[in-house]
């Protein structure tokens, strides 16, 4: 009988409205957009490093943290060694790490738990990935971490670095460990001797991840700095991206050269986007760029351009082979393509203000945002990590995205990085960062850099909106 049946009343679908900043459809209620947190992981992930000292764990942790933040996954590194330094204040010798040093073991255990507590706090307030950077060489320690993760609803992914090459280990000690606060008052020989003894303290208790005993864990084992890999139980999208990234990075010394195309006809007119050719000064820059590369005498240099006329014209002057990437094309300004900032303010004042309020996430109508551009550039960045010496002839927004990756800049800083025309930036990756050299090639050009104006309110005056627009013809 109908009277006895239970009916489940389905809630009616909410109305949708387009977010004016990002141009994406979102639920709304009573005219207000519902707040929604975008999450690229289905639950928080704890990445745990494993390995003896001087095996590149911190190098991996820092690069991985930088990469994940760059692609939009909130990530933070927790280095247990730093917790130990803050606790002890002064490092005396390797004796602290001896397996029979009960006091040392107690302090190290306390530091690890303090770091895990901070991991819990971070992942509970919006963080999506935490990198727990420590040796974690015993199965007992790793089981403690797995139990901690299970209790807090985190997924765990282990990253083990195994290296038996004495030259690589020695190079790591000299490049990184001797600059550590632990050895600030030691000479090189004393520091190397002490650190080698510290490694010995860990070797006796080291239990590497095992294909049989640890078959239920998710991990990647990196052997001899990327000569071989072992990957086990990759469970989700974020773990897959981590594996893909770690299998593409290398430590071979190299330099990456970034520059924009030569000055274009539209640059002179103060118009954004478009696909114009080079101005006379832009062509002169291309000749200077050729001489610069000849003087540098860079071994096996590869040249990449976008598929836009101005970068290809610039590369044509170099007299060397080059590769075109559509992914390197300039940010798509949609309906604002080939407009001056003054015209955008006149025809689209709301759009102009919204972009100034959040330049990274703002999407041009029928165009792109910097957030979109980073996603488009990720495959290029991955290939750039695989290469050695490369010159990338690109565009202002594209160059900003690359710089933000290598210099570890935030989404707020990225859209305002200064990337002038007719200037080459030489990036040389270092152990925990990147050395930057700026080389101006001496050819005059217009300035296309626009800083964030003080007033970003939608009701601002035209003068306020155009406050930082660079001069043009």
């Amino acid at each position: 009988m109908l009277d006895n049946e239970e009916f489940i009343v389905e809630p009616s679908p909410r109305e949708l409205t387009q977010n004016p900043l990002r141009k994406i459809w979102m639920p709304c209620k009573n005219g207000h957009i519902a707040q929604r947190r975008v999450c690229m992981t289905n639950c928080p992930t704890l990445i745990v490093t494993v390995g003896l000292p001087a095996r590149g764990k911190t190098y991996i942790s820092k690069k991985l943290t930088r990469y994940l933040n760059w692609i939009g996954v909130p990530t933070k590194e927790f280095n247990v060694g730093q917790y130990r330094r803050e606790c002890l204040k002064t490092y005396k010798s390797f004796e602290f790490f001896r397996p029979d040093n009960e006091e040392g073991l107690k302090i190290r255990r306390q530091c690890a738990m303090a770091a895990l507590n901070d991991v819990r706090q971070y992942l509970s307030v919006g963080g999506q990935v935490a990198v727990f950077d420590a040796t974690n060489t015993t199965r007992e320690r790793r089981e403690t971490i797995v139990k901690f993760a299970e209790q807090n609803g985190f997924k765990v992914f282990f990253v083990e670095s195994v290296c038996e090459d004495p030259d690589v280990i020695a190079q790591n000690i000299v490049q990184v460990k001797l600059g550590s606060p632990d050895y600030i008052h030691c000479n090189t020989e004393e520091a190397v001797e002490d650190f080698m003894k510290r490694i010995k303290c860990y070797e006796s208790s080291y239990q590497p991840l095992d294909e049989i005993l640890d078959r239920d864990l998710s991990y990647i084992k990196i052997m001899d700095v990327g000569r071989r890999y072992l990957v086990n139980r990759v469970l989700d999208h974020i773990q897959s991206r981590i594996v893909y990234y770690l299998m593409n990075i290398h430590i071979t010394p190299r330099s990456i050269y970034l520059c924009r195309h030569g000055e274009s006809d539209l640059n002179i007119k103060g118009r954004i986007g478009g696909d114009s050719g080079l101005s006379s000064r832009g062509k002169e820059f291309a000749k200077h760029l050729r001489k610069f590369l000849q003087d540098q005498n860079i071994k096996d240099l590869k040249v990449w351009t976008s598929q836009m006329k101005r970068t290809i014209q610039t590369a044509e002057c170099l007299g060397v082979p080059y590769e075109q990437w559509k992914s390197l094309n300039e940010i798509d300004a949609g309906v604002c393509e080939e407009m001056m900032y003054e015209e955008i303010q006149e025809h689209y004042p709301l759009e102009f203000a919204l972009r100034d309020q959040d330049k990274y996430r703002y999407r041009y109508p029928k165009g792109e945002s910097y957030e979109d551009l980073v996603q488009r550039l990720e495959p290029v960045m991955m290939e750039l990590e695989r290469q050695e010496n490369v010159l990338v002839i690109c565009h202002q927004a594209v160059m900003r995205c690359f710089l933000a990756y290598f210099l570890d800049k935030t989404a707020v800083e990225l859209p305002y990085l200064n990337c002038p025309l007719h200037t080459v930036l030489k990036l040389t990756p270092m152990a925990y960062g990147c050395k930057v050299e700026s080389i101006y090639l001496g050819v005059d050009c217009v300035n296309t850099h626009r800083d964030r104006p003080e007033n970003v309110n939608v009701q601002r005056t035209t003068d306020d909106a155009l406050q930082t627009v660079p001069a043009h013809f």
Side-chain angles (χ1 to χ4, degrees):
M1 297 288 291
L2 288 174
D3 290 343
N4 295 326
E5 290 182 4
E6 291 185 10
F7 291 93
I8 299 175
V9 180
E10 294 286 347
S12 58
R14 290 179 291 180
E15 292 296 320
L16 298 181
T17 190
Q18 194 177 55
N19 178 300
L21 181 77
R22 304 172 75 178
K23 312 297 186 289
I24 56 178
W25 291 97
M26 302 182 74
C28 70
K29 188 174 183 180
N30 299 327
H32 298 288
I33 294 176
Q35 294 301 310
R36 183 182 67 179
R37 179 167 157 252
V38 177
C39 186
M40 294 180 68
T41 56
N42 52 13
C43 74
T45 297
L46 176 58
I47 299 171
V48 181
T49 63
V50 177
L52 294 170
R55 264 56 177 184
K57 297 182 301 300
T58 299
Y59 169 80
I60 290 169
S61 297
K62 288 184 179 296
K63 285 209 72 157
L64 198 49
T65 300
R66 179 158 52 88
Y67 163 71
L68 290 171
N69 277 315
W70 185 71
I71 63 171
V73 181
T75 304
K76 186 175 179 180
E77 175 203 9
F78 296 83
N79 181 284
V80 176
Q82 194 57 41
Y83 283 78
R84 186 256 306 162
R85 290 183 195 99
E86 290 172 5
C87 176
L88 279 180
K89 304 302 181 188
T90 304
Y91 172 77
K92 293 181 180 178
S93 77
F94 75 95
E95 298 280 350
F96 175 80
F97 294 95
R98 287 173 59 102
D100 57 357
N101 183 338
E102 292 297 330
E103 182 63 21
L105 285 170
K106 180 182 176 183
I107 292 173
R108 285 154 58 196
R109 196 175 295 115
Q110 288 172 346
C111 291
M113 293 314 298
L116 286 176
N117 284 332
D118 287 348
V119 163
R120 181 195 292 116
Q121 175 66 17
Y122 172 71
L123 293 179
S124 66
V125 293
Q128 293 180 21
V129 177
V131 183
F132 186 71
D133 178 19
T135 53
N136 300 310
T137 46
T138 66
R139 194 157 282 111
E140 179 187 8
R141 169 61 62 84
R142 297 195 291 269
E143 286 171 356
T144 298
I145 294 169
V146 169
K147 191 175 295 183
F148 162 84
E150 288 173 348
Q151 290 169 348
N152 289 279
F154 308 150
K155 284 186 178 179
V156 180
F157 188 78
F158 291 97
V159 177
E160 182 174 29
S161 180
V162 179
C163 183
E164 303 299 335
D165 187 329
D167 292 337
V168 173
I169 296 169
Q171 184 182 26
N172 191 21
I173 292 173
V174 171
Q175 283 187 351
V176 179
K177 302 304 178 184
L178 298 191
S180 159
D182 291 347
Y183 297 110
I184 199 164
H185 299 300
C186 294
N187 64 44
T188 300
E189 287 184 7
E190 289 173 344
V192 169
E193 182 182 1
D194 182 86
F195 198 84
M196 293 302 293
K197 289 178 179 177
R198 188 196 294 195
I199 293 173
K200 288 289 183 187
C201 291
Y202 282 93
E203 285 179 341
S204 60
S205 59
Y206 179 29
Q207 298 170 301
L209 289 166
D210 185 271
E211 286 187 66
I212 305 301
L213 296 175
D214 298 308
R215 61 184 178 274
D216 293 330
L217 298 180
S218 298
Y219 64 83
I220 179 172
K221 187 189 284 266
I222 305 168
M223 288 161 273
D224 289 325
V225 220
R227 290 200 183 116
R228 287 193 303 127
Y229 303 91
L230 175 64
V231 180
N232 190 68
R233 280 180 62 83
V234 173
L235 297 180
D236 61 17
H237 170 68
I238 200 69
Q239 292 182 9
S240 174
R241 291 181 86 156
I242 290 166
V243 167
Y244 181 43
Y245 179 72
L246 291 177
M247 291 180 72
N248 280 283
I249 62 175
H250 65 82
I251 60 168
T252 306
R254 46 84 177 256
S255 289
I256 296 156
Y257 298 82
L258 300 177
C259 75
R260 293 171 63 187
H261 50 80
E263 178 189 73
S264 74
D265 293 330
L266 287 180
N267 287 150
I268 292 175
K269 297 171 184 175
R271 296 186 177 277
I272 66 172
D275 195 17
S276 65
L278 298 181
S279 68
S280 57
R281 296 190 299 193
K283 292 172 183 174
E284 188 64 26
F285 163 74
K287 294 175 185 175
H288 280 65
L289 181 60
R290 176 174 182 160
K291 185 177 186 308
F292 168 78
L293 295 178
Q294 289 171 342
D295 292 345
Q296 291 282 304
N297 191 26
I298 306 159
K299 181 183 176 184
D300 299 325
L301 179 70
K302 292 187 176 181
V303 178
W304 295 352
T305 74
S306 72
Q307 290 187 353
M308 307 196 91
K309 185 177 181 180
R310 52 197 185 273
T311 64
I312 296 168
Q313 276 188 302
T314 305
E316 276 292 319
C317 282
L318 304 183
V320 298
Y322 58 90
E323 185 177 346
Q324 296 179 22
W325 290 70
K326 186 176 182 181
S327 298
L328 286 173
N329 285 2
E330 180 60 303
I331 191 170
D332 184 350
V335 299
C336 298
E337 280 284 314
E338 299 194 25
M339 294 177 72
M340 294 186 291
Y341 287 124
E342 293 88 344
E343 293 171 338
I344 300 173
Q345 168 61 21
E346 179 184 352
H347 297 289
Y348 305 107
L350 174 61
E351 296 293 333
F352 202 44
L354 287 172
R355 190 164 197 259
D356 284 339
Q357 288 175 13
D358 189 346
K359 193 175 177 182
Y360 181 77
R361 292 175 181 83
Y362 170 84
R363 179 179 285 139
Y364 282 107
K366 300 183 181 179
E368 290 181 301
S369 64
Y370 272 93
E371 191 173 34
D372 296 329
L373 186 55
V374 165
Q375 298 303 317
R376 165 151 66 87
L377 289 172
E378 188 192 0
V380 187
M381 183 60 75
M382 204 66 73
E383 187 59 28
L384 200 53
E385 282 286 12
R386 290 169 54 84
Q387 299 294 332
E388 295 184 15
N389 297 317
V390 181
L391 165 66
V392 185
I393 303 172
C394 53
H395 306 267
Q396 182 167 250
V398 171
M399 193 164 166
R400 283 169 172 161
C401 292
F402 283 142
L403 269 185
Y405 170 81
F406 285 107
L407 304 185
D408 199 16
K409 298 297 183 181
T410 66
V412 173
E413 297 170 302
L414 183 155
Y416 295 102
L417 295 174
N418 193 8
C419 299
L421 289 164
H422 299 179
T423 300
V424 178
L425 294 185
K426 179 181 178 182
L427 308 180
T428 306
M430 312 293 282
Y432 292 163
C434 193
K435 178 184 174 186
V436 185
E437 299 171 67
S438 179
I439 306 116
Y440 172 59
L441 296 194
V443 180
D444 284 343
C445 57
V446 294
N447 172 28
T448 62
H449 182 82
R450 176 177 177 262
D451 282 318
R452 187 176 192 262
E454 293 177 11
N455 187 348
V456 298
N457 194 288
V458 293
Q459 279 87 36
R460 65 188 176 178
T461 65
T462 295
D463 285 345
D464 281 349
L466 302 177
Q467 175 192 8
T468 58
V469 172
H472 58 82
F473 295 112

